Amino acid sequence: MPEYGYFLSCEQYGPAELIEQARMAEQAGFQALWISDHYHPWNDAQGQSPFVWSVIGALSEAVSLPIETAVTCPTVRMHPAVVAQAAATSAVMTDNRFRLGVGSGEALNEHILGDHWPPAHVRLDMLEEAIQVMRRLFTGEEVNHHGPHYTVENARLYTVPDEPIPIDISGFGPAATQLASRVGDGYITIQPDETMVEQYRKGGGGGKLVSGGTKVCYGTDKDEAVRTVHRLWANEQLPGELGQVLPSPKHFEQAQQLVTEDMVRENRVCGDDVDEHVAELKQFADAGFDRVYVNQIGPDLRGFFDFYRTKVLPQLQQAV
């Protein structure tokens, strides 16, 4: 049976709200936390984008749950040596309850310093080299590295955890999934796709952690919930690689005009039907996931956590 966690959205909520949601999640019986790492929200309606490492520091004091970034891009906006220091400190502050989720990133967040946004295969090469650099730094030894993408000279992390920091790799296609199975300590994806899980496990992932996540909009008025999702998260219904290559919230706002409320209604759980919420998360269990995270889009956070505490999580825990 998977563990069920809560997904904190830095795109939609400020730091204090995220901390309060984490507390409510722990009280409701969720077993772990994901937290997104963004420089920009996807659109202006979402409206937030706090620095994830500051929020993780506060979370380490507020809750006792495991915490993972979902996901950090350690390749363009931040050098992997800097990400390694942030991750090592987070692991120390959480008493080794921290996992570093990484991915190849989106132009939305990563091009802000004017760097060229590389094609996908180059971004995956950069990610692999970044992981190598970070793992060497996590040992606490001095690192000198001169690779095709990164240079590190006389770098040493003095504040490091007692245990190695697990690095989970996000993958939504065969190439990224193959990289995750080859060099990752775990695999992250947001589609309950059994085929991709099998590719990861057969490619070298074996029994390592497979994590997935989804968004829902709990509310007593289903039509209003659909409108809320359409206003805030229509970007999730955009096809192909748009999510990786569009450079600004304004561009996402232009593209998401193609997304209708009917598309949201068909693809996102909205409302307060217990069976629909259970079925949404159970898809991941059936596909072989070890951890499943859920995010509440709508404004009724307390109603959501009460709903999951009393109705959804008990059913999921019985569905062995």
Side-chain angles (χ1 to χ4, degrees):
M1 184 177 68
E3 293 181 337
Y4 292 96
Y6 187 70
F7 190 174
L8 297 166
S9 172
C10 284
E11 302 97 309
Q12 192 179 340
Y13 297 102
E17 295 171 300
L18 293 168
I19 301 307
E20 181 58 25
Q21 287 178 36
R23 290 193 181 103
M24 289 192 288
E26 186 166 35
Q27 292 166 3
F30 286 98
Q31 298 166 285
L33 295 172
W34 259 4
I35 185 166
S36 56
D37 180 359
H38 270 241
Y39 195 89
H40 293 138
W42 297 98
N43 52 59
D44 282 356
Q46 291 173 358
Q48 292 289 338
S49 195
F51 189 53
V52 70
W53 303 105
S54 300
V55 179
I56 289 172
L59 287 171
S60 71
E61 294 295 315
V63 296
S64 62
L65 297 177
I67 302 166
E68 178 166 18
T69 52
V71 292
T72 291
C73 178
T75 58
V76 179
R77 170 172 47 108
M78 289 181 68
H79 192 285
V82 178
V83 175
Q85 185 183 28
T89 300
S90 297
V92 170
M93 292 185 71
T94 58
D95 294 325
N96 297 311
R97 290 180 286 110
F98 177 76
R99 298 181 75 94
L100 177 62
V102 299
S104 60
E106 305 94 12
L108 173 72
N109 301 304
E110 304 305 322
H111 87 294
I112 59 168
L113 302 179
D115 298 285
H116 169 66
W117 185 238
H121 71 280
V122 175
R123 300 201 308 270
L124 289 176
D125 287 343
M126 295 171 70
L127 181 60
E128 183 169 3
E129 184 179 344
I131 291 169
Q132 294 171 354
V133 168
M134 291 189 296
R135 282 197 172 126
R136 289 180 62 191
L137 286 164
F138 290 156
T139 66
E141 299 176 357
E142 183 178 296
V143 173
N144 290 280
H145 173 88
H146 298 274
H149 302 292
Y150 303 106
T151 297
V152 179
E153 292 186 352
N154 307 119
R156 178 185 172 189
L157 296 182
Y158 281 80
T159 300
V160 293
D162 298 330
E163 301 174 6
I165 300 170
I167 300 178
D168 299 339
I169 299 176
S170 172
F172 307 116
T177 302
Q178 193 276 331
L179 176 64
S181 64
R182 185 164 50 83
V183 304
D185 297 306
Y187 176 51
I188 292 172
T189 188
I190 57 172
Q191 298 296 331
D193 189 333
E194 185 176 1
T195 302
M196 299 302 286
V197 175
E198 289 180 356
Q199 179 190 338
Y200 170 73
R201 296 205 185 282
K202 291 180 180 178
K208 296 177 182 178
L209 186 72
V210 175
S211 302
T214 187
K215 290 181 172 63
V216 302
C217 188
Y218 166 82
T220 56
D221 183 331
K222 183 168 185 174
D223 291 337
E224 179 61 27
V226 169
R227 289 191 290 270
T228 296
V229 176
H230 185 258
R231 177 173 60 87
L232 293 173
W233 287 91
N235 58 282
E236 288 202 318
Q237 305 304 321
L238 295 175
E241 294 185 61
L242 289 178
Q244 282 71 53
V245 300
L246 294 180
S248 75
K250 182 182 296 184
H251 292 95
F252 278 94
E253 289 165 3
Q254 293 168 358
Q256 67 192 35
Q257 294 178 49
L258 303 173
V259 178
T260 66
E261 288 187 7
D262 285 341
M263 292 168 66
V264 169
R265 192 183 301 272
E266 292 172 7
N267 292 284
R268 189 60 62 207
V269 171
C270 297
D272 60 354
D273 186 308
V274 177
D275 292 339
E276 289 184 6
H277 284 263
V278 169
E280 173 70 11
L281 273 66
K282 194 172 181 299
Q283 290 182 89
F284 290 88
D286 293 343
F289 284 71
D290 303 302
R291 281 186 182 171
V292 186
Y293 297 81
V294 60
N295 169 256
Q296 160 68 351
I297 292 175
D300 189 1
L301 273 301
R302 189 158 298 281
F304 165 85
F305 284 114
D306 286 344
F307 179 66
Y308 267 69
R309 176 180 58 82
T310 60
K311 297 181 179 180
V312 178
L313 291 178
Q315 283 201 35
L316 289 167
Q317 290 159 359
Q318 294 170 7
V320 179

